[in-house]
Structure formats: C-alpha cells, structure tokens
Amino acid sequence: MHRTLALAACLSAPLAAQPAGGAETLDRTAFFERKIRPALAAHCQACHSSKSKAPMGGLVLDQPSGILRGGSRGPAVVRGNPGTSLLLQALRYAGGLQMPPAGKLPAAVISDFEEWIASGAAIPRDTTPEAAPAAKGPDFTRGRQWWAFQPLAEIAAPAVSTPAWPKTKIDHFVLAALTRNKLAPSREAARRTLIRRASLDLTGVPPSYAEIEAFAADPRPDAYEKLIGSLLLSPRYGERWGRHWLDVARWAEDNPTSEATNQPYPFAWRYRDWVIEAMNADIPYDRFVKMQLAADQLPGFRRDDLRALGYLGAAPVYHKDARLSKEVIETLSTDDWDERVDAVTRGILGLSVACARCHDHKFDPISARDYHGLAGVFASTMIVKRPLTPIDPATESRLVWNQDRITRLDYMSKMLTGEPGTSPEESRKRVIAMTAESDALKRETPAFEGPLAHAVIDAGVWVNGTDSELTTLDFRMGVPRDLPVFRGGNVANPGEIVPRRFLTVLEPGEPAPFRHGAGRLDLAEKIFTAAAPLAARVIVNRVWGWHFGRALAATPSDLGTQGERPTHPELLDDLAARFIANGWSLKWLHREIMLSAAYRQDSRPDAKAASIDPGNRWLWRMTPRRLEMESWRDRMIEAAGGLDPAMYGPSSDLEDKANLRRTVYARVSRGRLNAVFKLFDFPDASQHSPAREVTTSPLQQLFAMNSPFMLDQARRLAGRVESVEEPAARVRQLYRQALGRDPSAREQDLALSFATTPERWKQLAQALLASNEMMFLE
Amino acid sequence: MNRRDFVQSLSGGFGLMGLAGALAAEQPRPVFRAPHFTPKARHSIFLFMTGGPSHIDLFDPKPLLARHAGERPGAVDVRTERTTGGLLPSPFQFQRHGQAGIEVSELLPNLARTIDEIAVVRGMYTFNPTHTPARNLIQSGNIAATRPTLGAWLSYGLGTENQNLPGFVVLSPGNNGGALWRSGFLPSEHQGTAINQAEPVPEKMIRYLRNPDLAPASQREQLDLAQALNREHAAGFGPDPFLEGRIQAMETAYRMQFAALDVFDLAGEPAHIRRLYGSSQFANGCLLARRLVERGVRTVHVYYGQGQVWDDHKSINKNLKKRCPDMDQAAAALILDLKQRGLLEETVIVWGGEFGRTPVSESGDGRDHNPYGYTMWLAGGGIRGGQVHGATDEFGFKAVENRVSIHDLHATLLHTLGIDHERLTYRYAGRDFRLTDVHGQVVRPLLA
C-alpha cells in the first residue's frame, strides 16, 4: 500500500516542496524515519556526521538539510530522480564512488533508497538548528591580535629581588620569572667550563688546554667579555652558525631522487660558502634573508651575490616524468611550490602556511587565497644555473632558457630512444625532431666556462599537456603567473585566480598585489616591513634556542596558535625590539645573550629545582646538552691532532679516511644521506626542519666503538703522546689533548692500570674520544 | 679468529640462542603508545615486490583476454605510463586451490598450497602511475618523498620488543630506494635499519657491527674502562638523562654485536628449513624476517631483488617464469614456517608491489604500469585467510568491486596490530599527521 502511494506521488510531484504537514507528507517522512534514517545511521554517519569536524567529502548525512545540500561532489539526492542521484549511484557501486566502502548494502536496503528518492525524497526538518555554511573564511581582524604579530617595543626591565645577579637586561626578565616560580639561579659556571661552553657554542671547536688555562688564570675583570669578542671574530664562527642556518634552509646538494628533471646541484657548495661568509661578515639578518630571496633585484647587486639565491635555487624538486599526465605533472609542480611556501613561512615567518594549501588554515588566520598568493611567487620563479661573471640580462635569459629546454629535449629523446613504445616509427621521428631542436639550441647557446651558482630567475611555469604522449613544462621568461585557488589542493578543481601577494593577517588590510617580476623582492620587503616584528621574533627565538638548547617559544618554526607560547614573552619581545634597533646584527644578539648571567650559569642538576621545573623552562641553570654530530666529530678530530683549517670549496666525503675537514664541508644529500649523518640525527633536507632531534641509540655507540673513523682518530691521538716516556705524564698529556684538562687521581689510576701495552694506549685514547664528556656540552 | 670462535669466546659456553634469549629477557618491555584495542598481531612482515608485479598473470585470472586478444576496448583508454597496444592474454594456467577454491596461477604452486592462509585482495587500487610516487604511496600514504613510512609509524606506535635490535628492519639487497624506510618527521630512532641480505655475513649487513681490531674479551675490558670513566664523569656532574642513557646504550650496543651475529647468521638453521625456503637472496630475506620477528622485531620489510625487478615492460612471460619460482617458494615457506612455530597468528604478512600491470601489451610482450586495479595479499595475524576480496573488471584494468585503496590497506594493517589509524597521530608543522592522512577505512571482511 505504502509503496504504491509513494510511487504515485513520485509521478505526480517529483519535486516535492519541503514537507509542511498533511497526512501524505507524514506518511512519506515516516518512510524516511523507518527505512532511510536507520540505514544512514548504521552505514553512513560514522564518516558523514555533522558532529565530526571534517565530515568525509563535506557530506553530512545526519541532518536532513545536509542530505539535500550534498557534499563536495554536489547534491547527494535529486528529488524524484534516483538515476541521477549521486547517493544512489554510490550505494549501487555503479561508478567511481562506492559507498559504504566496507561493502555494498543489501539489495533490499538499496531499493528502499531508490523508492525514497523516486517518491521525492521527503524528509523532516532539521532536528537542531544548523550552523550557516562555512564560507566566511578566517577572521583576520581577530587573527591580527595574536601576540606574535604585535608591534615591537622595548620593555622596561622588571624589578628584581637580587639586583646583584643581573649582568644584562635579559637577566632581569629571567630572574623575575625564576622568582615568580620560587626558583633561584645557579651560581656562575667555572672559568674552564665557560670557555669550553662559549667556544663550542660559538665556533664548534674546543679550546686548547693552553687556552683554557690562560683563560682560567686571566686576572682581568672583563676576561669573559674579551673571550666572547675574540670568538665572534674567529672565522670558525661562520662555519658553526652557518650550519645552523643551513638546517633552516634545508640545504643539500641534490634531490630526493635526482633524476633527469631534478638533477643534483653540483655547485650548491657555493651557497653554503656564501652563508658562512655572510655569518662571519655579520650581514644584517634582514639583508641576509632578502639576498636569499631576491639578491638579483636588490640595490648594490653584484653577480657574486647570486650564490645567496641557492636558498631557492637548490631547493628540493620532484622529478617530472614526461610520460605522466598533465594533471599529475601539475600536482608535482604544486608540490614544488608548496615546499617553497613551507620553507619560507615556517623557516622565516614561523607560520605553517602550507596547512592552507587545501583549505583555509584550521587554526591560524591564513586562507587558501593567502596560500595561493604566495605560491604564485614560486610558480613564477625558475630554478636555473646563473653565471657569476658579468653577462647582459638578455643573453642570460636566453642562456638559462636554452639550457633548460636542452635538458628536457635530451631527456625526452633519450627516453623515447630507449623505450620506443608501441609505435617505434613514430617515436623515431619525434626523436629526430627533438634532437634537431636541441642541436640548434646548443649551437645558438653561448659557450659558458665560468663559475655558476644554483639560483633562480623570474619566469612563470605552465604545464604543457597538448602532446598526448609527453607532458612538459613551459617557462615564460619574465612572465609571472598568478595561481587559481586549487580547491582541496586539487589541480583539477581550480577556483578564482589570486594575485601574487602577502599574507592578509600580516597586513593592515587587504594585501596589495606584488609588482616586481615574480614578486620575490616584494615578498622579501614585506617580510621586513609588514611582518618585521614576526620575522625578528622568529630569528631571535631560534638563536636563543641554539644557545640554550630550548627556544623561548619551544616550537621555533611555529609561533602560530598551534605552537608553544613563549616562556618569557616580554624578554622575547624586548630582545627582538633591540635586535632590530641594533641593525638586525646576529653578532650583537650573540653577545647580548652570552654576556648574560643566565647564559653563564652552571649546568649541574639540582634535585629541588628539578622537582619544580624538570625541563628547565625557567632557566634555573644552563641546560646541559649532547653536541650535534658536526661539533662532536670536529672536536674529536681537533683533539686527535687537529682539524684541516681549509675553508670553503666543493664538498668532502665523510667516508674518506683522509678527510679531516670540518663537518660543515661534508657532502649533504637528500636521497642518499651519509649513514653517519643519519645515525646522529642530521635533519632530512627534503623539507624544512624546525630543530634537531636528539636521540641516543645503540647503533650510534657501535659507531663509537667500532668505526674506522674512531679507530683512526684513536691512533692519531695515541700517536701524539707516544713520545712522553713516563706513563703518568703520558696520561696527563693524553687528557690535555683529548679533553683539555688534567686527569683526576682516580682517572689517572684507571688509565695507568689499563694502558699496559701500546695497543692498550690506543684503546685508552679511543675510550676518551668515545667518552660522554667528549659529546657533552656543560 | 673466525666468527664462531668469536662468539664462543664471548659467550663462554652460553648457547647462542640462550644468550640471545637472556639478552632480550633482561630488557624491560617498553610501554605501547598504541594499541588502541587488543591486537591480533604483534609483528608485521611486508614482502615488497618492487616494480609492480602482474596481477593478471599471478592472482587475477582474466579468461576474456584470450577471446579479445589484440583488441582495444574502451575500458583501456585510461592514461598509464607508456603507450600500450591491444589486450594481452596470460599464457599461464589458473587452477582452483584450497578449501575456498581460489584461482592461483601455475607460476605459484607453493603459494597455491597455502592459499587457505591467504586473503587475496583483488580490488586494490592506487593513485599514481609512476614508480617513485607510487612507492611513496604504498610505503608512506603520500606521493611526497618526505612523510614517515609505514614501518616508522609502527615503530613509533608500538615501540620495540627487543632492546638489542632495531624495531624496524629492512632487508634490501643493495639498499635500493633508501627513502622508503625514512622516519620523515618522526624521531629518527624509528627509521628502518637497512640490512643488505645479499651480504653473506652479519658484519657486512650492519655497519660497524664488529671491531676489526679487538676480540670480545678485550673490547669488554676497554668498555669497562670507558664506562668507569663515564661513571666518574657522571658522578662529578650529577644525575643526567643523557649521560645515563648513553651508558646504557653503550652496553646495549656491545650486546647487540652478538645478538645481531646470532639473528643474522643463517648458518645455524637446520637443512630442512633451508630447503623449505630455498637458497636465493629473497629466501634469505624471508628466513631472516622470521628470525627477526621471532626475536621481537616489530616490523620487517623484505625487498625482492635490487631495483625495479617486477617492472616487466617487455618479455613479461619469460621474466615471470624466471622470477616466480624462488619468490613463490620463499613466501610460502615463510607462511608455513611461522605457522609451525605458532608465530603466524601473531605476525601479519603483506605481499605486493607499488601497482599492478595492464591487461594490454606494451612493446609487444610486456605490460605497462596499472594503478587502477591490482592484487596484493595478506596473511597471518588478524587476517581471515582463504578468501578473495574485491574484483577488477572483466579485463583486469580497474578495481570495480570492493575496492581497497592504499589507505584502506594501511588502516587494515594497523588494525590487525591493535592501532586505530585515525588515532595514531604525530604533531608536526602545526597539525596532527597520520599515516592515512584523512583517508582510509578498515576493510572488515579481511579480518579474522
């Protein structure tokens, strides 16, 4: 009876209005309640519920209005027309969409849905008022109130209970926080500890025994200040702190796969060298960053500065196999841009903008439009090798375009030659044509012999899918590309075009479009005008973290709402304000931090303080740390007989026994990272890394116990003291060389009773190199 | 000193197995981060067929291909990697096996005999037609070469059961594709430890496993000295987790030298077991996988051969005939051997590649990549064997029935190990990441 009625209703009123009462409507909504709602509840609502934050496919099936509205694929139900209703197609497993995924529902249930839709899909009103569809996007006005975006101003030092303790302004903030938390600072560390700490922290190289003793005996009241001053002048400083920046810049010399279209970067060492030089020269941080984004567009540009563009020019790139579809290649291109957006925003701005690639950021005030406004800058930026010697712009543009085109043509013709596919004749013709074009370009391209840098140049990229077999990239020199919002991160679902521009939340109003070329310079300028307070907080926070082992805001690449709030917000703000006032000088910042009483504290544990603050958030002591792999290796080589002091140049191989250069000069690979690097928590350079992990694993200790490197260094170290005849004197000399100190009586005894043969002396030397003390920064 | 003397001199009469057992037993079992519910399996083994083996010739018979050989029906007009020709029938015969009467190719007689342990998933599909992104998908749920891999997630979620060995071991001859066991943004201790099972001896498989100069007793004395000095240092400094942790790790490393020599040394396996697995590289990998899970290693991935061996763009029939016998023998042996030791019910096994192959030909006698539909199989803990799940279309091009995505497979695999794939998360770059991203459904019919 009911069935006949419903079907009749379908014929007469296929597009039933929203039910408003009446016997027939009640009857039909009763059908919904009896048959459809239970089925939806049992099989669909686990994934499609209004209670879930992100219902699958945007489809909500526990609210009648949601059923009618449908999801991202459009309406789920076309009233009266089961055949075109997506819901029914999915239930029937008729097309690409098959629901529920766990298995097709019984035929009887499916026919209930068919009947219900055919009869006009009557449903009762929503049981609860539903929120308006979310289309408004992030609340930028509220977003602009976030602490990290606020203007910076110097803050008066708080009054402290122990006025004798503070040495710099920093200490007032630290001491006030300690007092608030019922803690007190530790005493100042011993002179010998201080010189070791300051040297390893600032230069990554240990002081010699003589330097340590001279410092310990230095009667001048400002001996420590003088020490910091001289360490800051050491060229070793740039090698150590340049390496910190290289982590942020996810620097490496190849690509994760390094195939035909994402080849290695043989000149990437020139960027590494530029970073070391820039650090040593204390180039102001704002200029340091601007050069990495747009050196070629800054006033006073010299071609040598192109090396700085390695930040973008040696970025990780995905291989784009020409046999892939246009859509896949476009997706890979958006992945490339995404990497750049991520590296710049997390690395320099401390914001996770890449979260807004597929949808407005769920937590931070960043929209998908913001994301695509930035991504457009990188869609307009081409990775190329640029000459470091003078060349006129037109010739350079021609040169880099030709080189790229030649690489792609040669790659495709090689591919078609090797695998001609099912129509070898057709392939052969194409290879001939491509070879001819490539040869012509090679004849036309000026021979270039001089030094090159992996850099970028302004050129928009479009994916060319006109050829049915080969998809390639078209670069248009000097032509920027604004991107559409790829909805859901899907290149097949483009929305409105967004001009290249900065992040809305960091601007007072709607951001103006970028005007210069790709927009790299505009972006760089915005970072240090509109976003200057944020950029300053980010780098000051990072530098603090590298000195203390924990940044003031413990998530250095995320100062957004999902990051940790700073433990000392006023200190961070004051330091950032003064950092800008002091010309963005990193060396000023080091001095300010290292001269503080907070930095000079002893690092020994204290049970009482640890019970209040086990993580040392309030800085009741200096936090002791394991050295990074580079410092550990460098320290051992230095102890065993000295590091090779040569700076700069092509990378060396960590596996090479004769390689005694500093570890910063070792080759860094994205695809095949050296095993020792991997073992000791070297970050994966395929993406930006916020901070180093510190792990302690047995495999690391196998390296310390058994590796050829350790055995070699032990041999060197033992050899250095061989000439000392008297055993006790030899032990003393060994300790001075290895650890820069004299042994205790107990250590002396242990060593003497162990070192009974020349072989045992070598083993003793290895024990000192492998010791905890060698790896530990007090 | 040869290795046997070396181990003898260390263990002082302690039998090898006894030593390994004693070493494992003295370690406290780590707390599980997961499980979210009672797991069926505690270990997993992934037999990875790099290159993409042909479902059409191995597990998914398509008799219609013979009738339409050479034709190009509309269904083939889906973009694959290369240019393809007409439909290419499989020359291999399929017969029904086991209680469920599941059709298996004549290329796989041993797996056919164990088919009642196996759930054949014929409805697999993936999202990318080229090797590198597709391998990233199957190993990490994402085409990017940056996300944590399956084994790293499991190590992170479940910890290790044996402190003397890594929680995630990869047996990969030549270590091809090093990125496929990366830890991504997870702590680096979770990355796979790659062992080259093509190397004949444990010392070559694990770097720095053995000191070239020192006998164990001498090294023990050196370590005693080093540790005495470390304790002096620690006493002078005060309690510190790094200093303590490294002293412990030194001891574990010392013991690991011998635990690893034991676990990776196949010489002690009885002849009948060696015969069961065969003598190929892959056989060694499968046998090592059993020895590793037996000793509490959480996840073992075994790679078949070096490079994209199953990538049969041409001469597929000849290649399969050459390659299948040792794969078949060793994979089936692994199932049988685990079963006879009572380990199969706590070990879930996955077999498959990054995609399948086309029913149409390439270069005349090859098959192109096919991400739209292909076969993988599961067996062991938590899995109901003796079933076929899902189906491809009449030619084997697309999965059309009970389709199972990579994320569904991952969700199901995690489920057998007691992990809710939606709750195994890691906070990174401002949001919670998971192996299955926002996708994945546990495929209930596959579960026991």
Side-chain angles (χ1 to χ4, degrees), chain A residues 187-479:
Chain A
R187 61 181 167 76
E188 184 168 309
R191 279 263 178 113
R192 291 183 177 84
T193 304
L194 278 181
I195 184 175
R196 261 193 210 95
R197 178 189 299 168
S199 306
L200 284 165
D201 185 9
L202 218 43
T203 68
V205 181
S208 69
Y209 175 77
E211 286 165 335
I212 294 170
E213 291 309 309
F215 180 67
D218 192 336
R220 294 174 297 179
D222 62 347
Y224 179 76
E225 286 76 358
K226 289 205 153 50
L227 170 72
I228 301 300
S230 70
L231 289 171
L232 282 170
L233 290 176
S234 161
R236 307 274 90 100
Y237 159 78
E239 293 172 331
R240 162 86 174 145
W241 281 76
R243 186 55 250 178
H244 282 317
W245 181 258
L246 293 175
D247 279 8
V248 175
R250 43 75 180 116
W251 173 77
E253 300 170 83
D254 61 5
N255 272 302
T257 58
S258 291
E259 294 168 73
T261 67
N262 64 344
Q263 294 179 17
Y265 300 117
F267 313 116
W269 55 269
R270 292 204 162 102
Y271 171 77
R272 177 248 286 142
D273 286 355
W274 176 83
V275 169
I276 293 172
E277 283 172 32
M279 285 282 169
N280 278 334
D282 198 22
I283 290 184
Y285 176 73
D286 55 345
R287 181 164 173 85
F288 175 67
V289 171
K290 284 182 198 174
M291 287 179 76
Q292 295 177 60
L293 293 171
D296 52 345
Q297 294 163 6
L298 283 169
F301 164 62
R302 298 174 312 143
R303 290 205 68 85
D304 204 37
D305 296 343
L306 287 172
R307 295 177 300 157
L309 291 175
Y311 175 76
L312 298 174
V317 170
Y318 293 105
H319 172 51
K320 293 169 197 75
D321 189 319
R323 292 165 301 203
L324 292 174
S325 70
K326 176 167 189 261
E327 195 170 294
V328 174
I329 297 291
E330 274 178 340
T331 303
L332 290 171
S333 298
T334 58
D335 288 342
D336 285 347
W337 310 329
D338 185 63
E339 192 285 327
R340 253 60 94 214
V341 171
D342 185 58
V344 169
T345 57
R346 280 202 295 146
I348 299 168
L349 290 171
L351 287 176
S352 54
V353 173
C355 285
R357 178 179 178 183
C358 303
H359 46 68
D360 291 346
H361 200 299
K362 297 239 191 229
F363 307 104
D364 286 328
I366 294 158
S367 66
R369 297 176 75 243
D370 284 332
Y371 172 89
H372 288 90
L374 280 188
V377 174
F378 303 107
S380 307
T381 300
M382 180 186 190
I383 290 182
V384 292
K385 293 192 277 282
R386 295 180 69 172
L388 292 178
T389 45
I391 183 170
D392 74 90
T395 313
E396 181 178 32
S397 177
R398 193 75 213 161
L399 173 76
V400 298
W401 190 91
N402 285 6
Q403 279 172 342
D404 179 81
R405 180 75 185 152
I406 289 166
T407 305
R408 286 177 203 284
L409 287 168
D410 290 354
Y411 152 62
M412 287 188 288
S413 51
K414 191 170 165 214
M415 189 170 71
L416 284 182
T417 309
E419 296 166 7
T422 41
S423 51
E425 184 49 33
E426 189 55 32
S427 296
R428 204 178 58 82
K429 279 188 208 153
R430 306 192 58 161
V431 169
I432 290 170
M434 285 189 224
T435 311
E437 187 189 344
S438 170
D439 288 347
L441 286 172
K442 282 172 191 158
R443 277 193 301 276
E444 163 194 322
T445 307
F448 186 81
E449 301 289 330
L452 296 165
H454 296 287
V456 291
I457 201 163
D458 286 354
V461 61
W462 281 262
V463 176
N464 185 336
T466 51
D467 184 311
S468 64
E469 284 190 29
L470 297 170
T471 310
T472 187
L473 300 179
D474 286 346
F475 287 97
R476 299 183 200 158
M477 304 309 294
V479 182

Side-chain angles (χ1 to χ4, degrees), chain A residues 47 98 318 323-324 346 419 422 562 603-605 655 681 701 705-706 760 763 766 770 772, chain B residues 79 81-83 188 207-208 211 214 219 221-222 230 236-237 243 246 257 400 403 427-428 441:
Chain A
C47 303
Q98 301 182 336
Y318 293 105
R323 292 165 301 203
L324 292 174
R346 280 202 295 146
E419 296 166 7
T422 41
Q562 294 305 291
S603 63
R604 272 157 224 272
E655 300 292 324
D681 306 308
Q701 317 322 325
M705 290 158 64
N706 298 338
R760 285 289 188 111
Q763 291 177 33
Q766 189 189 359
N772 276 353
Chain B
R79 182 132 183 183
E81 195 186 58
R82 323 281 180 88
T83 317
S188 54
R207 281 195 105 187
Y208 319 127
N211 190 298
L214 293 183
Q219 190 176 42
E221 289 175 33
Q222 184 198 27
N230 280 340
F237 184 78
L243 298 178
R246 189 156 181 267
Q257 297 178 101
V400 290
R403 290 156 52 83
R427 177 146 289 250
Y428 170 74
Q441 293 281 331

Side-chain angles (χ1 to χ4, degrees), chain B residues 17-266:
Chain B
M17 292 300 289
L19 175 68
L23 293 175
E26 75 185 49
Q27 297 294 330
R29 289 209 164 183
V31 181
F32 283 53
R33 198 168 278 110
H36 302 118
F37 38 81
T38 312
K40 289 272 173 41
R42 290 163 52 219
H43 313 285
S44 67
I45 297 175
F46 196 151
L47 306 177
F48 194 62
M49 306 294 120
T50 316
S54 169
H55 54 299
I56 290 159
D57 297 293
L58 302 181
F59 289 106
D60 195 3
K62 293 294 166 189
L64 266 183
L65 288 176
R67 206 186 310 156
H68 297 278
E71 293 174 26
R72 274 183 75 85
V76 307
D77 280 333
V78 178
R79 182 132 183 183
T80 54
E81 195 186 58
R82 323 281 180 88
T83 317
T84 54
L87 292 170
L88 178 71
S90 173
F92 305 109
Q93 299 302 307
F94 282 73
Q95 275 185 349
R96 295 187 180 278
H97 294 272
Q99 290 182 357
I102 296 171
E103 287 173 289
V104 181
S105 162
E106 61 181 327
L107 288 168
L108 308 171
N110 292 292
L111 284 168
R113 274 195 289 280
T114 56
I115 202 71
D116 284 335
E117 306 292 346
I118 293 176
V120 181
V121 187
R122 287 190 187 146
M124 283 302 304
Y125 68 99
T126 179
F127 309 99
N128 198 292
T130 30
H131 291 288
T132 306
R135 274 201 292 271
N136 280 323
L137 269 164
I138 182 76
Q139 292 295 347
S140 75
N142 192 288
I143 63 165
T146 52
R147 297 284 173 83
T149 53
L150 179 58
W153 277 110
L154 292 177
S155 169
Y156 164 72
L158 299 173
T160 179
E161 287 189 335
N162 183 341
Q163 296 288 344
N164 297 334
L165 293 167
F168 174 22
V169 174
V170 181
L171 302 167
S172 175
N175 289 348
N176 54 311
L180 294 178
W181 42 89
R182 64 185 170 261
S183 56
F185 45 69
L186 293 178
S188 54
E189 64 188 286
H190 301 299
Q191 90 194 358
T193 299
I195 308 288
N196 184 354
Q197 88 263 31
E199 294 288 351
V201 290
E203 293 93 327
K204 293 249 168 88
M205 295 181 189
I206 301 179
R207 281 195 105 187
Y208 319 127
L209 184 60
R210 189 169 162 188
N211 190 298
D213 298 346
L214 293 183
S218 305
Q219 190 176 42
R220 183 66 254 180
E221 289 175 33
Q222 184 198 27
L223 187 59
D224 286 343
L225 170 75
Q227 298 285 49
L229 297 175
N230 280 340
R231 277 186 217 102
E232 274 294 294
H233 173 253
F237 184 78
D240 180 87
F242 164 74
L243 298 178
E244 286 308 312
R246 189 156 181 267
I247 288 172
Q248 289 307 318
M250 280 271 182
E251 291 302 321
T252 308
Y254 177 76
R255 290 194 306 263
M256 190 172 150
Q257 297 178 101
F258 317 110
L261 282 185
D262 158 43
V263 69
F264 292 110
D265 185 1
L266 297 177

Side-chain angles (χ1 to χ4, degrees), chain A residues 163-176:
Chain A
W165 186 71
K167 289 189 193 298
T168 67
K169 193 175 177 189
I170 287 171
D171 296 322
H172 289 264
F173 296 100
V174 171
L175 186 55

